[in-house]
Amino acid sequence: MDVLETISTLYCGSDHAGLSLKKQCIQHLKAQDWVCSDLGTDSPASCDYPIFAAKVCQQVREHGQLGLLICGTGLGMSMTANRFSHIRAALCTNEYMARMARKHNNANILCLGARVIGDEVALAIVDAFVRTGFDQGRHQKRVELIDTVGR
């Protein structure tokens, strides 16, 4: 069985800066039969991104699914997400990075910067991320090291 066949849900979170792009990504993914769980924010009022990063990380770890985090640059979300054990969040600015994050690093959360990439590019990055599986092989040992070093 393809690993992607076992992944059916994408847990999504954003701060106020990423709200509009998050909504677009969710609509785009739902059109492809993905189940998207929106964990907030649902308001354009200023808010603290670590709260929403934590919610997504907890769900991704608990359910073994994928996550999407969006803030202004993607930096804050990726920094916060990578504080959680067994979360491998990748800030991607193009499709190649998204594919390699999944293939070689088994990234389980995609981070995007709504203020640094356009909407069409973001949707292409999301597609590349969710459609790519982990190659395992020689990369498995490295992913295990990612999950254990510095903890």
Side-chain angles (χ1 to χ4, degrees):
M1 177 185 332
D2 185 334
V3 69
L4 293 179
E5 292 176 16
T6 64
I7 298 173
S8 60
T9 301
L10 199 76
Y11 293 96
C12 305
S14 72
D15 68 358
H16 55 284
L19 178 61
S20 177
L21 181 58
K22 179 186 68 173
K23 287 181 178 181
Q24 287 181 58
C25 290
I26 289 172
Q27 182 180 8
H28 178 76
L29 288 162
K30 283 184 175 182
Q32 299 175 46
D33 297 323
W34 279 85
V35 174
C36 295
S37 180
D38 187 347
L39 302 177
T41 189
D42 57 3
S43 168
S46 182
C47 62
D48 298 319
Y49 60 83
I51 293 167
F52 302 101
K55 289 179 181 184
V56 169
C57 290
Q58 290 163 352
Q59 292 302 309
V60 167
R61 280 196 317 196
E62 185 175 329
H63 300 289
Q65 299 291 309
L66 296 177
L68 173 65
L69 291 170
I70 306 173
C71 64
T73 63
L75 291 167
M77 287 293 201
S78 64
M79 289 177 187
T80 303
N82 282 314
R83 302 281 299 160
F84 287 79
S85 64
H86 303 288
I87 292 295
R88 293 169 303 281
L91 172 58
C92 299
T93 57
N94 60 55
E95 294 170 68
Y96 178 75
M97 290 175 73
R99 280 192 302 275
M100 299 317 317
R102 290 284 299 136
K103 285 179 79 157
H104 289 187
N105 306 115
N106 200 17
N108 49 13
I109 295 182
L110 171 63
C111 298
L112 297 174
R115 294 178 176 157
V116 296
I117 57 172
D119 296 349
E120 288 183 33
V121 171
L123 295 178
I125 292 168
V126 167
D127 284 343
F129 189 81
V130 301
R131 292 178 182 164
T132 304
F134 178 45
D135 276 353
Q136 296 183 343
R138 65 187 169 101
H139 306 291
Q140 182 62 44
K141 177 182 175 187
R142 295 172 185 151
V143 169
E144 290 169 6
L145 286 168
I146 290 170
D147 287 342
T148 59
V149 298
R151 300 262 182 226

